[in-house]
Amino acid sequence: MLGDQLSDSLSALADLDPARDVVLMAEVQAEATYVRHHKQKIALIFAAMRSFALRLEARGVTVRYVRIDDPANAHSIVGELHRALDDLQLTAVAITECGEWRLAQALAAFAGVASVPVEIRPDARFFCSHDRFRRWASGKKQLRMEFFYREMRKETGLLLDGDQPVGGQWNYDAENRKKLTKGLRPPARLRIKPDAVATDAIADVARLFPDHFGTLDAFGWPTTAEHAETVLSDFLSNILPGFGDWQDAMSEGQPWMWHGLISTSLNLGLLDPLDICRRAEAEYRAGRAPLNAVEGFIRQILGWREFVRGIYWLKVPEYRERNFLDADRTLPWVFWSGETDMACVADAVASTRDHAYAHHIQRLMVTGNLAMLLGVHPDALDDWYMTVYADAYEWVEMPNTRGMATFADGGIVGSKPYAASGAYIDRMSDYCGPCRYDVKAKAGEGACPFNRLYWGFLERNRDRLRDNVRLAMPYRTLENFGPEKRKALLAEAEAAREALGAVRR
C-alpha cells in the first residue's frame, strides 16, 4: 500500500486474508525527496500511514511496516518490494495502480522481473476509470471539463431531477465569484490537534528533513479517517452554505476562507469522493445549503478532480514536456521566501510556508498567474507546486500547473491563459488597499507588478495567442496601442521580470 492509498476499499485489499496475507507499507527517502516536499506533507503522509497500519493490525492483519529510520530500509518502493520477497515466503504480490507515471513505470518494471506473479489492479476509488475517460475523450477536438462533468452527473445521478439538472442549470459558476463584502470575516475553522502518532511523525520529519521547505508548528491536518470525518462534517454543517458565494474570494491573513480543507484527506484516501458528494447533495435537498454552493463544491470533486486525473493519464509522459509559450525564466526566490512588498504574493507564500496550503484562487490567480506573466519555465513551477502543498500529487498537480496556471499545454485543459492584471486581485480580495504598489498604475516601479507584466505578456506571446477567441478583446486593445507603445510595454514587462528575479535559465 502506498502513502496515498489509505482506504479500506483499496483494490489491493479486496481479497485480503488476515490469516495468510501480509500488507507492505514503507516510508522511503525516494518518495520523500524526489522533490523536497514540504515538511508538513511528509509528516502528514507518515502519520496517516502509521495510523492506517495500526488500524489494519487491530483487525488482525500482519503489516510489514518499514519506517523512514529503519537501518535496513532500501529507501525505494521497489527496493522494499524486493526485500520483502527475499525475506518472506510469498506466492504473489497485489498492488493498486499508483497515481504517478514515474512510479508506475518503476512498478511495471518490478512486475516484469519479480520472482512471483505481480498483479497491478485498477484504482476503483475514482468515479471515472482510465478506460472510461479515454472513451469520452476519443475523437474530440477539444476536451472541456464542463461536458465531461455533465456526463459524470448523469452517470452518478448527483443533483439531478429525473434526467435534468436540479435548478435547470448544470453549472452555477457565475454565482461563485462574489467579491468579499467589506467587514465580512470567514468562519472559524476546525483544525485537528496532532495525536500521539502524528506527534511522533512530526518529530521524525523535524529531525530527518530539517532543510525542507515549510514549518511544522501549525500542523493541523487529519491523519485518520475519523479525523477526516470530523473535518468534513464541520464543513458540511457550518461552512458549505457560504462556499458558493465566497469560494473565489481572498483576504489577507485568512488562509482557509470557506474552503473544505478536505483535499489532503481525499487525496490520501481517508475520504470517499462519492460519499462526500452525496452528503453535500443531501445538505441542499434538506434546505441547509444553497444550490450554488453545493453544485460548485460537487463540481470540484466530480468534475474537476476527475477531469484532471483523466487528462494526466491520457497525455503522460508527453504532457510532462509541454511548454507551449516557450517560457524560459527561473522561479524567483520570492516564491520561497515570501519577502516582497506585493501583499497578495507575500500572503499566499506565508500561508504556503506555514500550512502547506493555499486555496485555488491564490494558487491560480496569484502565484500561478505571476509565474505565467513572468515566463517561468513550467518544470520549475511543477517542482514548486509539488514541493509546497500537502495535497499535491503529480496526477492532480501537473494538469493544474501546465494546464490552468501557465497554459503550457496550449489549451488541453483550459480554453485560454488565466492571465490577469492587478484589477482582478483588487476585485476579489482586500490585498490591494494597504499594498505598497499602486494597483491603478500601469507602469513604473511603483505600479502593481501584475499591471507591468500583463500587457507585455500578451505582446510577447502575440503569435501564439492572438487567434484565441477568448482573448479577442485584449488583443484588439493591444492593436490599438500602436507599435511604439507595444514596444514600450515589452520593455516595461522586462524591467518588472528582472526586478522580481525571473532571469533566463
Side-chain angles (χ1 to χ4, degrees):
M1 292 182 66
L2 300 174
D4 60 347
Q5 297 181 342
L6 308 180
S7 308
D8 291 330
S9 62
L10 193 72
S11 59
L13 302 181
D15 49 0
L16 177 68
D17 181 354
R20 177 193 64 185
D21 297 329
V22 176
V23 173
L24 171 62
M25 302 177 74
E27 305 166 0
V28 297
Q29 286 280 355
E31 298 307 310
T33 60
Y34 71 93
V35 297
R36 293 171 61 83
H37 297 288
H38 195 296
K39 292 173 186 174
Q40 286 195 32
K41 182 179 182 181
I42 302 173
L44 167 63
I45 295 174
F46 286 1
M49 289 174 66
R50 294 174 188 183
S51 294
F52 197 86
L54 292 173
R55 177 192 183 106
L56 289 173
E57 289 173 344
R59 291 168 43 195
V61 176
T62 300
V63 180
R64 179 183 169 100
Y65 196 95
V66 183
R67 288 176 62 127
I68 190 69
D69 53 2
D70 186 332
N73 194 326
H75 286 301
S76 74
I77 297 299
V78 169
E80 281 304 313
L81 282 163
H82 281 298
R83 199 160 70 90
L85 287 179
D86 291 340
D87 292 350
L88 305 174
Q89 298 298 312
L90 302 178
T91 58
V93 175
I95 305 171
T96 295
E97 63 185 1
C98 67
E100 186 168 324
W101 186 83
R102 168 192 61 87
L103 188 54
Q105 296 301 108
L107 290 173
F110 164 76
V113 300
S115 57
V116 300
V118 177
E119 181 185 5
I120 299 179
R121 300 174 177 177
D123 191 343
R125 299 174 301 162
F126 293 85
F127 292 100
C128 185
S129 69
H130 300 320
D131 286 344
R132 173 68 182 90
F133 191 85
R134 281 192 288 267
R135 291 197 303 274
W136 174 79
S138 179
K140 290 181 171 63
K141 293 182 178 180
Q142 291 185 322
L143 305 178
R144 292 292 170 255
M145 187 278 290
E146 175 64 23
F147 301 108
F148 169 77
Y149 167 56
R150 294 181 186 186
E151 288 204 18
M152 291 296 98
R153 288 268 295 276
K154 292 173 182 176
E155 289 188 7
T156 60
L158 286 162
L159 288 179
L160 291 186
D161 283 338
D163 60 355
Q164 296 301 308
V166 169
Q169 295 177 216
W170 291 102
N171 185 315
Y172 288 84
D173 186 51
E175 298 180 25
N176 296 156
R177 307 170 189 167
K178 285 189 177 181
K179 180 178 179 179
L180 197 63
T181 305
K182 188 174 182 179
L184 180 66
R185 308 301 289 172
R189 301 308 300 270
L190 175 67
R191 301 288 283 159
I192 300 296
K193 182 180 179 180
D195 60 13
V197 175
T199 299
D200 184 52
I202 290 167
D204 284 345
V205 170
R207 176 171 53 89
L208 297 171
F209 303 94
D211 298 329
H212 279 228
F213 178 75
T215 63
L216 289 160
D217 297 341
F219 187 97
W221 298 110
T223 58
T224 68
E226 292 75 19
H227 293 160
E229 170 61 30
T230 298
V231 172
L232 174 62
S233 296
D234 179 67
F235 170 74
L236 292 173
S237 298
N238 302 317
I239 315 299
L240 178 60
F243 174 80
D245 288 347
W246 313 115
Q247 64 174 282
D248 284 6
M250 299 176 286
S251 181
E252 189 167 10
Q254 298 291 338
W256 320 123
M257 302 300 283
W258 279 262
H259 282 248
L261 305 188
I262 62 167
S263 57
T264 55
S265 300
L266 187 55
N267 290 349
L268 283 171
L270 300 177
L271 293 173
D272 174 68
L274 179 57
D275 177 65
I276 294 170
C277 291
R278 283 176 172 163
R279 288 167 64 181
E281 180 182 27
E283 293 300 302
Y284 165 72
R285 300 284 188 186
R288 293 188 293 263
L291 183 55
N292 74 316
V294 172
E295 187 280 319
F297 178 70
I298 289 176
R299 185 176 357 111
Q300 297 303 315
I301 298 172
L302 177 65
W304 190 250
R305 183 173 185 265
E306 297 285 326
F307 179 72
V308 297
R309 177 177 182 262
I311 291 289
Y312 176 80
W313 285 107
L314 184 69
K315 298 295 184 180
V316 289
E318 179 269 341
Y319 195 84
R320 297 158 59 99
E321 308 301 321
R322 284 186 170 259
N323 186 6
F324 176 72
L325 298 179
D326 289 332
D328 62 354
R329 300 300 173 103
T330 58
L331 187 74
W333 178 242
V334 67
F335 280 75
W336 301 106
S337 70
E339 295 171 356
T340 176
D341 290 330
M342 299 174 70
C344 57
V345 176
D347 190 61
V349 174
S351 174
T352 299
R353 178 193 64 229
D354 294 340
H355 302 294
Y357 181 83
H359 75 62
H360 74 285
I361 296 300
Q362 290 173 308
R363 299 189 201 194
L364 176 63
M365 300 307 299
V366 177
T367 55
N369 181 29
L370 180 61
M372 180 172 62
L373 296 180
L374 289 169
V376 172
H377 194 285
D379 286 354
L381 199 62
D382 265 344
D383 283 349
W384 186 76
Y385 279 115
M386 279 293 293
T387 296
V388 302
Y389 291 121
D391 55 7
Y393 298 87
E394 193 176 82
W395 64 267
V396 67
E397 173 274 325
M398 187 172 285
N400 275 288
T401 300
R402 291 189 184 253
M404 287 292 285
T406 65
F407 206 67
D409 71 358
I412 293 174
V413 168
S415 57
K416 69 164 187 173
Y418 278 81
S421 67
Y424 174 87
I425 295 169
D426 190 29
R427 184 169 68 252
M428 296 307 301
S429 76
D430 56 12
Y431 289 132
C432 299
C435 185
R436 180 178 79 80
Y437 294 105
D438 185 354
V439 73
K440 304 297 183 184
K442 307 300 182 187
E445 292 184 3
C448 173
F450 283 99
N451 294 345
R452 300 181 71 193
L453 292 164
Y454 176 73
W455 290 107
F457 166 81
L458 290 177
E459 177 63 16
R460 187 170 70 246
N461 292 288
R462 167 194 292 271
D463 291 343
R464 301 180 185 90
L465 299 176
R466 63 184 171 188
D467 293 331
N468 186 307
V469 294
R470 296 194 65 191
L471 294 176
M473 184 176 296
Y475 272 107
R476 281 197 298 270
T477 302
L478 198 60
E479 290 293 338
N480 291 335
F481 286 160
E484 288 303 314
K485 186 170 182 179
R486 292 200 301 270
K487 184 177 179 180
L489 291 170
L490 279 175
E492 182 71 24
E494 188 58 36
R497 293 165 94 186
E498 292 181 3
L500 285 165
V503 298
R504 284 190 171 84
R505 285 158 55 99

